[in-house]
């Protein structure tokens, strides 16, 4: 079966996970492919790994899993703990036989798009484009609730991400993404599902 990959990008806190769950589509979490905190040579910011730098992410492993998932309908992915900043195991990912679209989301979806195209994957890129103040608030509330890092780290990281949001969008557009509001992205996913199922 020919399956299409949809990469969902956007700043941390923009609603990527929420939209992915609401879509009901099979999904792969790109954030599970972070390197462990003690991985050699990780870029540092303020004395801690810069988790917003693509060098902290294992893109080759993510694309290999996506290729296998699209081809066979199953793969094994890392089980990554963000609070612990390390892999804590593996998990089996299996999608229904009739699924024609697989959704992958994470902050490094922007980097994943050219990698996927180079691997010959049928891929569409959607960038969730939402106001920076709204994204910052959603991100802070989520990270506090999930106890991802200490409040002080969350504040420092949040300010850096706020300043970088415009640059992130420009990078996504340059890599081939389409910028859509949350509602428009919902509609695009529904349309792609119908079109892919008819092929």
């Amino acid at each position: 079966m020919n399956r299409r990959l949809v990469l969902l990008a956007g700043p941390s806190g923009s609603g990527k996970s929420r939209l992915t769950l609401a879509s009901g589509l099979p999904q792969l979490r790109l954030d599970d492919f972070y390197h462990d905190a003690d991985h050699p040579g990780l870029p540092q910011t303020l004395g801690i790994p810069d988790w917003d730098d693509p060098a902290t992410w294992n893109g080759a492993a993510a694309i290999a899993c996506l290729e296998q998932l699209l081809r066979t309908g199953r793969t094994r992915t890392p089980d990554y703990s963000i609070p612990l900043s390390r892999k804590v195991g593996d998990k089996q990912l299996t999608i229904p036989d009739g699924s024609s679209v697989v959704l992958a989301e994470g902050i490094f979806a922007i980097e994943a798009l050219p990698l996927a195209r180079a691997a010959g994957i049928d891929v569409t890129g959607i960038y969730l484009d939402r106001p920076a103040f709204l994204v910052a608030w959603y991100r802070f509330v989520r990270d506090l609730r999930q106890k991802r890092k200490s409040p002080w780290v969350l504040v420092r990281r949040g300010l850096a991400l706020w300043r970088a949001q415009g640059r992130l969008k420009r990078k996504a557009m340059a890599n081939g993404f389409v910028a859509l509001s949350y509602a428009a992205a919902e509609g695009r996913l529904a349309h792609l599902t119908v079109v892919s199922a008819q092929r």
Side-chain angles (χ1 to χ4, degrees):
M1 179 180 188
N2 292 325
R3 296 182 176 93
R4 180 194 296 267
L5 171 65
V6 177
L7 288 170
L8 186 59
S12 176
S14 60
K16 299 184 296 295
S17 297
R18 178 185 168 199
L19 179 57
T20 298
L21 291 173
S23 74
L25 293 171
Q27 62 169 299
L28 181 143
R29 281 174 32 91
L30 295 174
D31 289 353
D32 280 332
F33 293 87
Y34 270 116
H35 290 298
D36 289 351
D38 57 0
H39 185 80
L42 289 187
Q44 302 282 316
T45 298
L46 300 174
I48 62 173
D50 183 357
W51 299 113
D52 301 300
D53 190 308
T56 63
W57 181 67
N58 190 343
I63 295 301
C65 281
L66 282 168
E67 283 187 287
Q68 185 178 50
L69 182 64
L70 293 165
R71 186 179 68 256
T72 69
R74 58 185 55 84
T75 191
R76 291 196 69 81
T77 68
D79 186 6
Y80 191 91
S81 168
I82 289 180
L84 296 177
S85 299
R86 67 179 56 257
K87 175 183 170 181
V88 293
D90 293 285
K91 52 192 176 184
Q92 178 73 33
L93 176 58
T94 303
I95 63 176
D97 290 339
S99 297
S100 57
V101 175
V102 172
L103 192 56
E105 62 89 8
I107 65 170
F108 298 124
I110 295 173
E111 285 71 27
L113 183 58
L115 294 175
R117 285 181 172 160
I121 294 174
D122 182 11
V123 58
T124 297
I126 295 175
Y127 180 87
L128 271 185
D129 191 17
R130 308 182 82 180
F133 73 90
L134 187 65
V135 170
W137 173 248
Y138 285 157
R139 178 174 55 240
F140 186 67
V141 170
R142 177 204 65 194
D143 290 351
L144 274 180
R145 183 179 66 250
Q146 296 180 1
K147 299 179 180 178
R148 290 191 168 197
K149 305 292 179 187
S150 71
W152 174 234
V153 169
L154 294 180
V155 169
R156 289 188 299 171
R157 180 172 180 266
L159 288 173
L161 292 177
W162 180 306
R163 290 192 293 266
Q165 187 164 326
R167 187 168 62 251
L168 186 72
K169 179 182 175 180
R170 291 190 295 273
K171 181 179 179 181
M173 299 303 97
N175 276 12
F177 281 79
V178 175
L180 298 173
S181 69
Y182 189 94
E186 284 184 307
R188 180 65 62 89
L189 286 176
H191 173 73
L192 287 172
T193 301
V194 171
V195 170
S196 297
Q198 293 173 345
R199 291 189 303 176

